Amino acid sequence: MLRAYVPIFLFILVAIGFAVVTLLISRLVHAEKPNAVKLEPYECGIEPETDARDRYSVRYYLVAMLFVIFDVETIFMFPWAVILDRLALFGLIEMALFLFILVVGYFYAWKKGALEWA
Amino acid sequence: MSAYFIAHFLLIFLVFNMLVMSAAFMVWMERKVCAYIQDRVGPNRVGVEGLLQPFADVLKLLMKEELRPKAADAFLFTIAPIVSAAAAFTAFSVIPFGSETTLFGLLDRPLPLEVTDVNVAVLVIFAITSMGVYGIVLAGWSSNSKYSLLGGLRSSAQMISYELSYGLALAAVIVLGGSLSLRELVLNQTGYWFHVIPRWYIFLQPLGFLIYLTAGVAETNRAPFDFPEAEQELVAGYHTEYSSMSFAMFFLAEYINMVTVSAVATSLYLGGWLGPILPSWLGWLWFLLKVLLLLFFYVWMRWTLPRYRYDQLMEFGWKWLLPAAVVNLIATAALVLWIG
């Protein structure tokens, strides 16, 4: 069973190898003449005043937290979807209940304004 | 080493090269289609109809100076393009693009035309395509440039808005097919209704197909959802500070991601390599044709639609796509149980 995954790892290795080798070859071939101005971050010709990694407001952080919760719920759908024909009506009702609870939470978050930009 | 293993290794090698070539072809197609949409001719100097233009571009990029801003995080800045490219390549490894072949009796058992046949292929694709966002966010953060940082932030904002609907749209297809293996899902679409309409899931899942396409465009950062690299606002977004081959890696990753999303859509909704007329060992031609049509659709859309604003996409993803995907999933499940 696990043997089926070996080619995937082979593929990852080939992909990483391809990227690394290409980057190395390009490093050997091209010219490098850095100077102070070239090594500044690009800001359309204006000298950067501050570091870019300042404190900044991630306006959608509540949405990001909701995403983590809902994404985990989504994962539950996959095994259910595969064996739905065996679970039959019981499975459908169970999932409808599960989704109902989820939807109540979703509407609560929506009405609370969690989906708007804070 | 049996002939089977050699053939399998050759196949892996072939798929890898086909991916690189498809990205090159896609660059050419994009420039050509965009040119005709804008009433221009497009590249037509290098090779026949400019077909060798992407290779000229790669040679040019290879010779370009590579700069790393001195305030950048050296390690993360270097690995970000590698992460992007590796994730893009790997996602294709579980996609079947043809039926099984024995190479006209050369092999002792039939070799499926794909890198590997994993029984949870849909999950593998879901997992690996989501890795791509790490490359973008790392690039945006490590560059220490304001434009890059904004690009990275937008990319993660985008990811958390469409990924749920993406997963739910796939779940509805799995309900129909009862399997997570892409090969089985494709084979379940064999046959015709009333001898004319192919049994493709697109006819059972029109809404799901639309949701998948929308989410797929958002996932590959293409117009109208190309906020992480919106050139009018963010210069080049997350790859502003990248040059030379590192830039080419991001470029390659973006185009391969497009090919992958189209290939998954082909397998799940358009019947993969199944099609009329051609004998089954030439099925990969159908696969190629369907993927090309979807890629053309991508380009067409890019040069036709204006860009969204990224809070609009978040709102659209959460308030429209997600409810639609949930309703689609439950309705599909109910209908499958009712009709059987």
Side-chain angles (χ1 to χ4, degrees):
Chain A
M1 206 69 257
L2 277 176
R3 276 185 58 172
Y5 292 86
V6 174
I8 298 185
F9 286 107
L10 202 68
F11 216 65
I12 296 180
L13 286 183
V14 173
I16 292 175
F18 169 76
V20 170
V21 168
T22 323
L23 290 176
L24 282 180
I25 289 178
S26 120
R27 201 145 291 182
L28 290 178
V29 174
H30 65 221
E32 286 196 45
K33 289 179 205 145
N35 62 42
V37 179
K38 270 188 195 169
L39 296 181
E40 292 282 320
Y42 181 76
E43 283 194 15
C44 305
I46 300 167
E47 276 180 35
E49 294 264 316
T50 52
D51 203 69
R53 298 192 199 116
D54 208 345
R55 285 176 149 228
Y56 43 82
S57 152
V58 179
R59 306 183 65 128
Y60 50 82
Y61 90 104
L62 255 184
V63 182
M65 280 162 64
L66 283 178
F67 168 73
V68 174
I69 300 165
F70 280 89
D71 207 28
V72 174
E73 314 285 7
T74 316
I75 292 302
F76 287 124
M77 315 272 178
F78 283 96
W80 165 79
V82 177
I83 53 164
L84 180 70
D85 52 338
R86 263 167 283 162
L87 293 176
L89 195 60
F90 169 74
L92 183 66
I93 293 169
E94 281 280 302
M95 188 44 81
L97 277 176
F98 179 75
L99 274 175
F100 175 73
I101 297 169
L102 208 64
V103 165
V104 169
Y106 169 74
F107 272 109
Y108 176 76
W110 187 335
K111 288 294 160 213
K112 272 284 182 184
L115 301 182
E116 316 295 329
W117 275 26
Chain B
M1 281 269 248
S2 67
Y4 182 82
F5 273 105
I6 296 169
H8 198 178
F9 271 113
L10 281 177
L11 185 71
I12 293 177
F13 183 73
L14 193 76
V15 170
F16 191 84
N17 282 293
M18 281 298 287
L19 276 178
V20 180
M21 285 299 142
S22 67
F25 177 75
M26 186 59 201
V27 173
W28 173 81
M29 186 171 98
E30 167 131 53
R31 295 180 63 171
K32 212 64 186 169
V33 171
C34 118
Y36 282 116
I37 286 177
Q38 297 170 340
D39 207 8
R40 297 185 283 117
V41 185
N44 65 349
R45 296 285 170 215
V46 196
V48 185
E49 280 298 303
L51 256 175
L52 295 178
Q53 187 68 43
F55 301 98
D57 287 347
V58 166
L59 274 181
K60 181 200 74 178
L61 281 169
L62 200 65
M63 309 303 284
K64 288 282 177 186
E65 183 174 8
E66 193 160 0
L67 291 169
R68 188 177 66 224
K70 64 174 184 296
D73 185 314
F75 176 66
L76 295 179
F77 190 85
T78 316
I79 64 162
I82 302 176
V83 171
S84 261
F89 275 114
T90 312
F92 200 86
S93 59
V94 289
I95 296 174
F97 52 89
S99 53
E100 295 173 328
T101 176
T102 53
L103 290 178
F104 310 105
L106 213 61
L107 306 176
D108 46 356
R109 61 202 154 111
L111 174 72
L113 280 182
E114 66 184 305
V115 171
T116 178
D117 189 11
V118 174
N119 57 1
V120 289
V122 178
L123 283 184
V124 170
I125 287 176
F126 201 49
I128 295 174
T129 48
S130 312
M131 294 292 288
V133 75
Y134 284 105
I136 293 178
V137 172
L138 280 181
W141 190 81
S142 67
S143 301
N144 202 4
S145 154
K146 278 139 198 154
Y147 292 119
S148 308
L149 189 66
L150 286 173
L153 271 182
R154 286 184 181 197
S155 169
S156 45
Q158 203 161 315
M159 204 269 284
I160 60 174
S161 335
Y162 66 75
E163 192 121 310
L164 291 171
S165 331
Y166 187 76
L168 289 174
L170 292 185
V173 173
I174 295 162
V175 167
L176 286 176
S179 169
L180 281 167
S181 152
L182 275 178
R183 184 163 286 277
E184 271 176 45
L185 283 172
V186 171
L187 289 175
N188 281 343
Q189 302 176 53
T190 320
Y192 296 89
W193 285 299
F194 316 116
H195 304 288
V196 222
I197 310 166
R199 285 178 169 275
W200 297 346
Y201 287 151
I202 184 176
F203 299 115
L204 298 171
Q205 286 285 317
L207 182 62
F209 182 63
L210 283 180
I211 294 171
Y212 176 84
L213 266 193
T214 315
V217 173
E219 163 161 314
T220 45
N221 303 324
R222 294 282 300 183
F225 306 131
D226 56 345
F227 326 110
E229 44 182 87
E231 63 268 22
Q232 289 89 344
E233 308 157 27
L234 295 181
V235 187
Y238 64 93
H239 55 59
T240 303
E241 300 295 342
Y242 282 90
S243 48
S244 187
M245 276 328 257
S246 329
F247 165 74
M249 283 299 145
F250 282 119
F251 210 67
L252 187 69
E254 180 177 323
Y255 280 91
I256 293 179
N257 276 332
M258 260 194 286
V259 174
T260 307
V261 166
S262 306
V264 174
T266 304
S267 309
L268 290 182
Y269 295 100
L270 299 177
W273 65 87
L274 304 169
I277 309 165
L278 291 174
S280 71
W281 61 276
L282 277 177
W284 52 272
L285 277 175
W286 273 116
F287 185 82
L288 214 61
L289 185 72
K290 290 169 189 171
V291 169
L292 268 179
L293 274 178
L294 283 172
L295 287 175
F296 174 78
F297 178 73
Y298 255 106
V299 177
W300 185 13
M301 198 156 52
R302 169 165 177 191
W303 297 101
T304 313
L305 298 176
R307 183 179 299 126
Y308 262 65
R309 223 172 50 211
Y310 88 106
D311 63 315
Q312 284 174 338
L313 172 71
M314 295 187 75
E315 204 168 285
F316 178 66
W318 279 89
K319 295 184 178 169
W320 292 97
L321 274 189
L322 183 60
V326 171
V327 170
N328 183 47
L329 175 63
I330 281 295
T332 308
L335 281 177
V336 162
L337 288 183
W338 187 33
I339 299 170

